[in-house]
Amino acid sequence: MEGGESPAEPGSGPARRFPVAAVEEILRDVLGSALREQRYEPGPCLEAAKDIAEVIKARVKALAVPRYKIVVVAHIGQLGGQSMQISSRCLWDPKSDTFSSCVFKNTSLFAVANVYGVYFE
């Protein structure tokens, strides 16, 4: 175990909680640096969403939080006066599972990135 952590007993929950605030900072940093000067164009934004999700996943994994499965979802859309609703549902344990989310906008586009941390017993 890293950092002197002892193994958790089955069913006892995580020895270390998912770092929501640290992950939100990663989301802000990655979205801002990738999209700050980007104009909305469908093809490049499709690739940017994939790249952003991969970078976020790698940076969250680098936090080395034991026994958490990481799911990353990134959306990029054009700003044009329309609205968009994004929702998700899943079966999880609110005592150990959680998520981080960030919304980014510039003059041309918006982006939403979510990271779900699901504890694996």
Side-chain angles (χ1 to χ4, degrees):
M1 301 255 94
E2 292 184 30
E5 295 173 2
S6 58
E9 294 294 318
S12 67
R16 181 173 157 212
R17 297 285 302 180
F18 188 78
V20 172
V23 173
E24 286 174 355
E25 183 60 36
I26 290 170
L27 293 172
R28 279 191 297 275
D29 180 53
V30 172
L31 289 175
S33 59
L35 300 174
R36 189 169 290 112
E37 303 299 323
Q38 178 96 20
R39 303 285 307 155
Y40 181 80
E41 296 177 45
C45 284
L46 172 64
E47 292 305 312
K50 291 177 190 177
D51 293 344
I52 286 166
E54 285 298 323
V55 169
I56 291 169
K57 182 176 76 171
R59 288 193 49 192
V60 172
K61 280 187 167 189
L63 296 174
V65 183
R67 300 178 69 180
Y68 271 91
K69 300 258 185 199
I70 307 299
V71 178
V72 180
V73 182
H75 303 275
I76 299 175
Q78 184 176 20
L79 279 178
Q82 76 281 20
S83 67
M84 179 176 185
Q85 302 297 321
I86 298 173
S87 66
S88 61
R89 296 180 62 95
C90 61
L91 183 61
W92 72 6
D93 182 349
K95 293 186 295 261
S96 57
D97 304 334
T98 191
F99 71 97
S100 296
S101 184
C102 183
V103 176
F104 172 87
K105 289 183 193 177
N106 67 19
T107 58
S108 176
L109 58 79
F110 70 91
V112 179
N114 295 318
V115 175
Y116 301 93
V118 182
Y119 186 67
F120 183 68
E121 289 194 37

